[in-house]
Amino acid sequence: CRAAGITCPILPGILPIQSYKSFIRMTEFCDISVPPHVMDQLEPVKDDDEAVKRIGCEIAKDIALQILTTPEEDGGMDGVHFYTLNLERSVTQVLIAMGMGTASISDSKE
């Protein structure tokens, strides 16, 4: 992007996996490949939405921490953007797992 003259801050976006079906639909729509270790985690629980969400939050946390702790010269960034799609509970869980909050989410209707 910088080589193209874009100088504004660019933040990577992270969308926690909410359900197996929506995840597969999105990867097909975007025509992207998924690392085998991600599919290996999701495939056994693909029919259990809560388990998929838990794994999705863990994956999102790991990706965010990797981005935030990698030096910028090695591809790291000083921020990330979490997509909630009006499903904030998962992002709240990711932030808590990253040590960035302790808010109760028990009242969330996600």
Side-chain angles (χ1 to χ4, degrees), residues 3 6-8 11 27 29 35 43 49 55 59 63 71 75 79-80 86 96 100 104 106 108:
I6 298 170
T7 59
C8 65
L11 296 177
T27 60
F29 177 76
E43 190 66 32
D49 284 344
I55 291 168
I59 292 168
I63 291 170
V80 295
N86 294 322
I96 290 169
M100 297 184 172
S104 171
S106 61
S108 180

Side-chain angles (χ1 to χ4, degrees), residues 14 59-69 80 82 94 98:
I14 299 173
I59 292 168
K61 176 199 72 144
D62 292 344
I63 291 170
L65 288 174
Q66 181 177 4
I67 291 168
L68 295 171
T69 60
V80 295
F82 286 104
V94 172
M98 292 175 66

